[in-house]
Amino acid sequence: MSLWWLGYPLLGVFAGFVAGLFGVGGGLTIVPLLFMLFTAQQFPVEHSMHLALGTSMATIVFTSVSSMRAHHGHGAVRWDIVKSFAPGLVAGTLAGSFLVAWVPTRPLAIMFTAIVYYASLQIMLDFKPKAHRQLPGTAGMVATGTLIGIFSSLVAAGGGFLSIPFMLFCNVGIRHAVGTSAALGFPIAVAGTIGFIGSGLKASGLPEFSLGYVYLPALVGVVAISFLMAPVGAGLAHRLPVRQLKRAFGGFLALLATKMLHGLLTG
C-alpha cells in the first residue's frame, strides 16, 4: 500500500472536524488539499484538479446523509423547497460536471479559486442578506437550482454557500435555510458524482483505482474518518467562540486556495 494513502484518513479527520464545527460542506476544504496530495503523488497534471473535484463530490454523497438526517430530526428541513429545487439542482450539477471535464486544469483552478474567495468572504463576514421577497414559482426555483448546481460542480460542494443566502433573501428563516441546504447537498452530490464518473470514464492516463474522476482510495479514507470526526466538531461548536473561528476559517480557505493556485501556475 502506498504511504500516500495514509494521508487520506488524516484529511478525513480535518474535513469531518471542520464540517461539524462550521457546518460547511466538504468541497471548499477537501478539494485544495486533495489537489495538493494528488500533485505530490505526481498524478497527471491534466487530471489532478478533475480528480480532486470528483472525489470531493463523491464524499459528500455519504457525509450529506448524516447531516440531512440530523437536521430533519430537528424539524429544520423544508421538504417543499427541496422538492422544488431538486430538478434544477440535478440538471445543473450533471451538466456542470460534464462541462468541467472539458475545461483544462489551469482555467478550472482559477474558477475554483474565485468561487472559494467569494465563499471565504461570506464566511468571514457572516453574511446573512435581509429578506426582500418570497420564494419564486416553480420555473424560478428550477432556474435558480440549475445555476446553483452548475456552480456547485465547479467547487464540488453541496451548494450551501449559494442556497443559504438565496433562501434568506426569500424570507426563509436561518434555521430552516441551513437545514434545507443540508438536504439539498444530497441530490447535488449524487448528480455530481455520476457526472464526474461518467465524464472521466474515457479519460486516459488516470491513476490506478480510479473510477472516472473519482479516486477510490481517497474516497474511502476521507469518508471513513470524517464520519467519526463530524460529531466532535459539532460538539465543540457549542462551546467555542464560533464567530471568531469562522473568520479565521474563512481566511484559511482563501490562503489554501491561493497556495493551490500559485503552485499550479508557477509549477
Side-chain angles (χ1 to χ4, degrees):
M1 182 183 72
S2 171
L3 289 178
W4 285 111
W5 287 18
L6 298 176
Y8 304 130
L10 293 176
L11 177 53
V13 170
F14 176 74
F17 179 77
V18 167
L21 184 61
F22 298 110
V24 298
L28 299 177
T29 308
I30 295 175
V31 170
L33 295 172
L34 278 178
F35 178 80
M36 293 175 196
L37 280 172
F38 292 162
T39 301
Q41 293 176 80
Q42 299 183 334
F43 285 2
V45 66
E46 66 272 19
H47 295 318
S48 293
M49 188 64 183
H50 300 84
L51 282 165
L53 289 168
T55 305
S56 174
M57 189 68 86
T59 66
I60 300 173
V61 173
F62 299 92
T63 56
S64 65
V65 173
S66 61
S67 178
M68 178 173 59
R69 289 179 62 185
H71 285 287
H72 174 70
H74 288 91
V77 178
R78 285 276 304 273
W79 290 106
D80 58 320
I81 297 177
V82 174
K83 291 176 182 177
S84 299
F85 257 140
L89 289 174
V90 171
T93 308
L94 271 174
S97 57
F98 275 97
L99 287 172
V100 162
W102 293 92
V103 180
T105 293
R106 281 179 171 79
L108 187 58
I110 292 171
M111 287 188 288
F112 174 88
T113 303
I115 295 174
V116 172
Y117 280 144
Y118 164 77
S120 67
L121 185 63
Q122 185 186 87
I123 292 170
M124 284 188 286
L125 297 179
D126 200 18
F127 177 62
K128 294 182 177 68
K130 294 182 179 179
H132 290 290
R133 54 168 297 167
Q134 299 300 310
L135 289 165
T138 301
M141 292 293 282
V142 171
T144 303
T146 300
L147 289 175
I148 291 174
I150 291 172
F151 279 104
S152 295
S153 65
L154 290 175
V155 293
F161 67 102
L162 293 174
S163 64
I164 291 175
F166 174 77
M167 284 185 278
L168 293 177
F169 179 73
C170 294
N171 212 30
V172 177
I174 181 63
R175 179 170 170 265
H176 284 105
V178 172
T180 304
S181 175
L184 293 173
F186 183 72
I188 288 175
V190 171
T193 300
I194 292 171
F196 277 108
I197 289 174
S199 62
L201 286 178
K202 295 184 178 180
S204 59
L206 289 173
E208 190 180 9
F209 306 116
S210 295
L211 179 60
Y213 285 127
V214 175
Y215 186 55
L216 298 177
L219 171 63
V220 173
V222 170
V223 167
I225 305 300
S226 62
F227 256 112
L228 301 175
M229 290 303 299
V232 178
L236 283 177
H238 297 285
R239 300 194 295 271
L240 296 175
V242 177
R243 177 171 293 184
Q244 288 80 2
L245 287 172
K246 277 189 174 182
R247 290 174 180 167
F249 178 62
F252 171 73
L253 278 180
L255 288 173
L256 198 61
T258 302
K259 182 179 184 342
M260 181 193 77
L261 185 62
H262 178 267
L264 179 68
L265 297 179
T266 59

